[in-house]
Amino acid sequence: EEQFVESGGGLVQAGGSLRLSCSTSGFSFDNYAIGWYRQAPDKERERVSCTLIRGRENRTSYEYFVQGRFSITSDNAKSTVDLQMTNLEIEDTAVYYCKGRSWFLGCPRADSAPWGQGTQVTVFS
C-alpha cells in the first residue's frame, strides 16, 4: 500500500525558514510523481509543487506564489522529498500534505482524495 507521511511542521516567525519532509513507501520511487500541497482553514487545498521522478532525473515545477521562496530536495536512497521553505509569510500558514501516483499520470489533483494527516505550519509576526 502506498504511504505518504509528512513531518517537520511547527511554529516559525515571519521571515524565517522551515524544512518539511515527505517519507514514502509502497511503490517504485524511481518512477513516480510527487506533489506538495497545502490548505488553510479558509481556503481550498492548493498545489505547491510537483516533482517528476524518473530514475536519477528529478524535475520540479512550482506554483507562482512560492516561486523563489520554496525548493524541493529529493533523496532517492531514502525515498523522501523535502520541501525547503524560506522567507515565510503569515499567509503560508496551513496544513501541508504530500501525495503521489504513477509518473505517467502526473501529480495528483489538488481536489483529489484521500489525504494523509499532513503537518501544520504556523507563521507568526
Side-chain angles (χ1 to χ4, degrees):
E1 180 179 347
E2 298 177 342
Q3 291 185 330
F4 306 90
V5 181
E6 306 90 347
S7 63
L11 187 66
V12 62
Q13 189 172 12
S17 301
L18 204 62
R19 186 181 180 115
L20 308 182
S21 182
C22 176
S23 180
T24 73
S25 62
F27 60 91
S28 179
F29 188 81
D30 59 352
N31 289 280
Y32 220 72
I34 300 177
W36 275 97
Y37 309 77
R38 70 184 186 184
Q39 185 173 30
D42 199 30
K43 291 184 176 181
E44 298 288 330
R45 181 180 293 103
E46 59 187 356
R47 182 186 291 175
V48 174
S49 66
C50 177
T51 301
L52 182 64
I53 302 172
R54 299 286 290 133
R56 297 178 178 178
E57 183 74 17
N58 297 330
R59 180 168 59 89
T60 300
S61 60
Y62 302 90
E63 296 301 317
Y64 70 94
F65 50 84
V66 302
Q67 186 71 39
R69 298 192 299 122
F70 294 2
S71 63
I72 290 293
T73 301
S74 62
D75 188 332
N76 290 14
K78 296 182 178 180
S79 300
T80 58
V81 179
D82 288 3
L83 178 65
Q84 298 174 288
M85 310 164 66
T86 62
N87 298 319
L88 284 165
E89 304 170 353
I90 295 179
E91 294 182 351
D92 293 319
T93 295
V95 179
Y96 284 73
Y97 305 87
C98 63
K99 186 178 179 180
R101 62 181 181 177
S102 298
W103 71 269
F104 55 86
L105 296 175
C107 290
R109 293 161 53 99
D111 60 355
S112 65
W115 298 92
Q117 296 177 339
T119 185
Q120 176 71 49
V121 174
T122 302
V123 184
F124 66 94
S125 62

